[in-house]
């Protein structure tokens, strides 16, 4: 408005696109919630939890396995679907192992960032494909996100080695 470039048509288009994007996100949440509820009602989360408890593995190995599963799920599902499907199963086990839930959730959130970058369903890849010229090949776009995926993995390793990176500030502010 201050630069004199405001146009109602651009504003209404931005409003439409924002509503469309928000509705896609909410559709994912609304779609995953009944599935998760239906899965959990008849004790569906109990069976995977019992299986994981029977494995009797070291907590660090459990964390690594769960992060790998979340990484692979991120290639095919949106982060909201992953959270709604996996957290009801994983969080009780993590809590029983005496692992900080705050640290585990932050670590998962960092790994979940790869879900928008990894093929075949990375939303950022679709966005980049839409805004780049036709001369830029899709494989070039995928190759361009690989360093960012590597940085996310590096950050996950750092958070695993130094849990205080995730827990220090909340502990100072809230004493949790």
């Amino acid at each position: 408005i201050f630069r004199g470039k405001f146009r109602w048509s651009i504003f209404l288009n931005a409003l439409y696109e924002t509503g469309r994007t928000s509705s896609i996100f909410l559709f994912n949440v609304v779609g995953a919630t009944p599935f998760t509820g239906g899965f959990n009602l008849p004790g569906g989360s109990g069976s995977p939890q019992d299986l994981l408890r029977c494995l009797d593995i070291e907590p660090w190995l459990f964390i690594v396995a769960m992060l790998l599963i979340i990484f692979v799920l991120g290639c095919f599902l949106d982060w909201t679907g992953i959270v709604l499907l996996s957290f009801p199963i994983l969080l009780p086990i993590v809590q029983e192992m005496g692992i900080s839930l705050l640290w585990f959730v932050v670590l998962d959130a960092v790994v979940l960032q790869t879900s928008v970058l990894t093929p075949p369903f990375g939303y950022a890849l679709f966005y980049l494909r839409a805004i780049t010229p036709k001369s830029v090949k899709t494989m070039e776009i995928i190759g361009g996100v690989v360093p960012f995926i590597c940085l996310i993995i590096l950050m996950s390793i750092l958070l695993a080695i130094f849990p205080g990176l995730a827990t220090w500030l909340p502990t100072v502010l809230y004493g949790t």
Side-chain angles (χ1 to χ4, degrees), residues 33 71 81 87 120:
T33 301
F71 179 80
F87 276 27

Side-chain angles (χ1 to χ4, degrees), residues 30 34 131 156:
V30 168
I131 65 168
S156 300

Side-chain angles (χ1 to χ4, degrees), residues 12 23 30 33 36 42 54 88 92-93 104 125 155 163 169 172:
L12 292 175
S23 65
V30 168
T33 301
T36 305
C54 289
I93 296 171
F104 181 74
L125 300 176
M155 188 60 202
L169 186 59
V172 169

